[in-house]
Amino acid sequence: MTDTRGPQPQYEGYVAGPLPGEREPAPGQAGPYHPPQAYPSPPGGTQGGRPQGQQGGVPGVSAAQASRKPRTGARTTPRTRKARLRVAKADPWSVMKVSFLLSIALGICTVVASAVLWMVMDAMGVFNTVGGTISEATGSTEGSGFDLQSFLSLPRVLIFTSVIAVIDVVLATALATLGAFIYNLSAGFVGGVELTLAEDE
């Protein structure tokens, strides 16, 4: 075969030049390579990849701005949280225990109040005055009338008050327990009593 393309031009610079591995480095690249930076480094240096003046990783916020307090004229009113709840069921056993204790306390208060009231009235002479009037009104020639002071003595008053207190304890406990059952039945139909609770400001 014959070459019909004729003489080809010779690229002397390419042929005579050194290979890529044999080239000498440029004069300005003696050290390690540093990529160009878009923004210059801050004068205070960096700490952990962030400027020393920045805190919490928030860009553009200095220490003075981060510790800045709110204005004195600004009013910060806390919002009061509210919760709407519903009493769906009342436990009859717990209602019975609570009503029993409360009725016992009420009975003791009744007995003590009756004793104090009797002593105050006796010191004021109410029984003597009223008793004398009743004795004169009910008396006759054959005998004296009704003796109110002996009938309303302190032991009799305390016994009578104690009986009333015991009856009150039994009735209050039974009525409260029955009321809990009735409330549970009615709450099944209407949903119960709704309450709105709020936090103390």
Side-chain angles (χ1 to χ4, degrees), residues 4-145:
T4 56
R5 293 180 298 176
Q8 299 293 332
Q10 298 292 332
Y11 299 95
E12 296 179 358
Y14 176 76
V15 176
L19 297 175
E22 299 176 354
R23 296 178 183 175
E24 297 181 0
Q29 297 181 357
Y33 174 74
H34 295 282
Q37 297 183 359
Y39 301 97
S41 299
T46 58
Q47 181 179 3
R50 299 187 304 269
Q52 294 182 359
Q54 297 183 5
Q55 296 180 356
V58 181
V61 179
S62 61
Q65 294 177 352
S67 62
R68 185 176 59 182
K69 298 181 179 179
R71 294 180 298 176
T72 351
R75 297 181 179 178
T76 55
T77 305
R79 297 181 58 185
T80 304
R81 294 187 300 178
K82 296 183 179 180
R84 191 172 183 180
L85 305 178
R86 183 179 61 186
V87 183
K89 183 180 179 181
D91 188 15
W93 175 248
S94 61
V95 171
M96 184 182 69
K97 291 188 295 184
V98 173
S99 60
F100 178 72
L101 293 178
L102 291 179
S103 56
I104 285 180
L106 182 61
I108 294 175
C109 292
T110 304
V111 173
V112 173
S114 300
V116 172
L117 181 62
W118 188 93
M119 288 186 292
V120 171
M121 294 178 65
D122 185 49
M124 294 174 61
V126 175
F127 294 112
N128 292 331
T129 305
V130 177
T133 305
I134 293 177
S135 179
E136 291 178 0
T138 56
S140 60
T141 55
E142 297 178 357
S144 59

